[in-house]
Amino acid sequence: MPVPTEDLKLEIVNAATGERLGAKAAPSADGTLVVRAFPDDGPSPDAWQFTPVPAAQGGYEEDDQAYVVRNTVSGKVLDNPAAADRGVRQWDAGNGKKGQQWHLVPVEGETGLYVIEGVADGTVLDLSADPGEDGTRVVLREHDDGAESQRWRFVPVEPERTSDAVLRWAPLSHWNSRQSWRLAPSAALRPAPGATPSFSDLLLVVDAYGSDQDAGGWKSDVVTPSPGGQPGRWAGTGARFLADTVGSGRAGIVGIRATKGAVTSYARGDGTFDEEHLLHQGATAPAPADLWSFTDLTGDGRPDLVVLCTGGVRVSAQEEDGTFAPSGGELVVKAFGHSKQAGEWVAEKHPRFLVDTTGDGRTDIVGCHDDGVWVSLQDEEGTFAPLADEPALRAFGHGEEAGGWLVDKHPRFLVDTTGDGRTDIVGCHDDGVWVSLQDEEGTFAEPLYVRDDFGVDQGWSSADEHPRFLTATTRDGAVDIVGFGPEGVVVSSGRGDGTFEPSKLVLNDFGTAQGWTSRKHLRLLADVTGDGNPDIVGFGDEGVWVAHNLGDGRFEQAQLVCRGFGYGDEAGAWRVGHHPRFLADITGEGRVDIVGFGGPGVYVARNLYRRFRTR
């Protein structure tokens, strides 16, 4: 687990005993610390915060940060009194006192375990040999690689969320068969009136595109996220999603029907949509393996329809009147398709990207095949270059010779990590983060191993269970890594040179430790306030939770902002894989709204931003 930021409260758990660090059951005057069990009906375990020591005081190197470990209730700090019995205590903080500064040293090969090492003399926290009635004393000893008692795990306490309880009307039966109703507690939560940003209640705006037979009988969500969870999805047959197909600044509804091709309902600008109609006339049924996307290929402000098909990549350009070229479009590259002649690219193995790799304003096509990365550049005439004889980089590919990258485990991104306008390749493999920088000649360098986190070996088991994003968390900052890890939200700040700062746990929420799972919940990044910084949005059991970006890489505790679109029955019983949900601006106001495809049709919750109100 990454070292948490100073805002988070944690329990410190000994790996050998599973007991928590804290004061004796009968507190002592000398502040002696022990590890002991805390019964369920007893007092809460002690919680601690790690405060970084300023560089001027600690004299640390990059990965050797010193911390003060502070009790969140008493305010006292972990202290080495240099006593003969080597007992550790909690004591009043002293400015710059070395005996109160500690290094957190990861245990090699043991994800989430640390050794707590004193800055003053290099000794580490351990347990005494003899347990007492009030617990086993914590002492300082020389480091021993084989001593499990010297290893510690940091467990975030329960997240501090903002919401109100809800009461519901419950039926009450009487002996004479009459019924009355009483108010009873509900498992649901109501958004707090002061929560910001807030959303309206759900409103059914289109009785189509739903899973119910009367609403079209759409049975599944077959929208394929891009390889790292980034915006820009590929949609298969049967998918429903949102896209600005006309360049209006408002996202409309798009569905891919097996018999008709693309159908759409344009956004009216007031949070509603018009009737379903064909996106273009003369449509033919798509092949089952085709993948569809809308993107502005030329920079003219008009999105084009791009299809990865049997023969390669087909483009239906948008005309000036907003219509699209006939179905099928122009075959622009005889590659990246699913036939043998087009390279046998398949979604389960070979991620493909539409991205401006050179900074010239035109979208190129990039794909990771078995043998590495292939690129087709678009020139000023709008022509895509045929693939070269060799891949642009023999890495980040599915085959063992190119690294053995798997779509379901190893997310890959094409982003500009240096600010030079050219996209680089970033990937999270088993052992951590790898980066390949692109130079002025358009050549990708051999990948460098830049950070030992965000990988399978560090507990990030799959791309679905632990989504990762590359985006700037501050308006003027470099691209950062943001991930929903086992313990919560983790951020590794970009340095602007293709490398990243040590990762930090910035929020004890939205992780598997807090009950979030890809089988039930969606977790996304989106700017919900319009301030230019991405916020965290989670579709949980009770509804939609938002953790607002503070602008410095940290996030507020989550607030429940919409009691709908959630997994629980009280929040609508929405299911991943059956009920797609999106964050998109459907009004053109510059702030994302919530749109979901439920059973009866399309539901919308408008972004109210300033204050919460119910209908």
Side-chain angles (χ1 to χ4, degrees), residues 141-157:
R141 288 205 177 96
E142 295 297 324
H143 178 242
D144 179 358
D145 278 333
E148 188 178 12
S149 58
Q150 294 182 359
R151 301 174 183 178
W152 304 83
R153 189 182 308 278
F154 308 136
V155 180
V157 300

Side-chain angles (χ1 to χ4, degrees), residues 115-176:
V115 170
I116 303 176
E117 177 189 73
V119 170
D121 56 12
T123 55
V124 302
L125 263 61
D126 199 347
L127 302 184
S128 66
D130 301 318
E133 292 183 4
D134 289 326
T136 305
R137 279 198 323 129
V138 179
V139 297
L140 288 165
R141 288 205 177 96
E142 295 297 324
H143 178 242
D144 179 358
D145 278 333
E148 188 178 12
S149 58
Q150 294 182 359
R151 301 174 183 178
W152 304 83
R153 189 182 308 278
F154 308 136
V155 180
V157 300
E158 289 298 314
E160 299 172 4
R161 292 172 167 175
T162 302
S163 60
D164 293 337
V166 171
L167 294 177
R168 61 184 174 87
W169 291 103
L172 187 63
S173 298
H174 299 272
W175 63 271
N176 59 0

Side-chain angles (χ1 to χ4, degrees), residues 385-588:
L387 297 192
D389 295 333
E390 297 288 333
L393 180 66
R394 290 193 178 276
F396 298 104
H398 180 81
E400 289 298 324
E401 69 279 5
W405 293 75
L406 306 177
V407 167
D408 60 343
K409 289 187 176 182
H410 307 135
R412 281 152 282 181
F413 310 83
L414 270 77
V415 293
D416 179 8
T417 65
T418 63
D420 63 358
R422 292 182 172 273
T423 58
D424 311 303
I425 305 173
V426 182
C428 302
H429 208 285
D430 289 343
D431 52 357
V433 181
W434 291 80
V435 175
S436 172
L437 298 179
Q438 184 184 179
D439 63 22
E440 294 180 357
E441 305 300 322
T443 302
F444 289 97
E446 284 298 311
L448 294 176
Y449 180 60
V450 298
R451 182 53 53 200
D452 56 348
D453 202 354
F454 301 102
V456 175
D457 293 347
Q458 293 86 35
W460 301 71
S461 58
S462 72
D464 286 337
E465 198 63 55
H466 301 295
R468 279 144 280 184
F469 300 84
L470 263 77
T471 185
T473 59
T474 58
R475 186 176 302 176
D476 301 321
V479 170
D480 311 311
I481 305 174
V482 182
F484 297 93
E487 299 292 344
V489 181
V490 177
V491 173
S492 181
S493 299
R495 296 188 177 114
D497 61 357
T499 65
F500 300 87
E501 299 285 349
S503 54
K504 293 182 179 180
L505 180 68
V506 299
L507 188 64
N508 59 329
D509 207 345
F510 300 105
T512 51
Q514 293 84 31
W516 293 77
T517 171
S518 61
R519 186 175 61 85
K520 295 181 178 180
H521 310 125
L522 301 175
R523 289 155 289 174
L524 307 168
L525 292 181
D527 177 11
V528 297
T529 62
D531 65 356
N533 295 320
D535 307 296
I536 297 171
V537 183
F539 294 80
D541 291 335
E542 306 88 351
V544 182
W545 295 87
V546 169
H548 183 236
N549 189 326
L550 294 174
D552 58 0
R554 297 178 301 140
F555 296 86
E556 292 179 349
Q557 293 291 332
Q559 298 174 330
L560 183 66
V561 298
C562 181
R563 188 162 57 91
F565 298 109
Y567 183 85
D569 291 342
E570 298 276 359
W574 292 71
R575 296 293 182 261
V576 173
H578 292 284
H579 305 132
R581 284 152 283 177
F582 300 91
L583 299 166
D585 181 5
I586 61 174
T587 63

Side-chain angles (χ1 to χ4, degrees), residues 572-614:
W574 292 71
R575 296 293 182 261
V576 173
H578 292 284
H579 305 132
R581 284 152 283 177
F582 300 91
L583 299 166
D585 181 5
I586 61 174
T587 63
E589 295 175 346
R591 294 187 296 271
V592 296
D593 308 293
I594 306 172
V595 181
F597 296 86
V602 183
Y603 290 85
V604 168
R606 291 283 302 277
N607 189 335
L608 304 178
Y609 180 46
R610 294 292 181 186
R611 63 186 180 88
F612 175 80
R613 71 170 183 262
T614 56

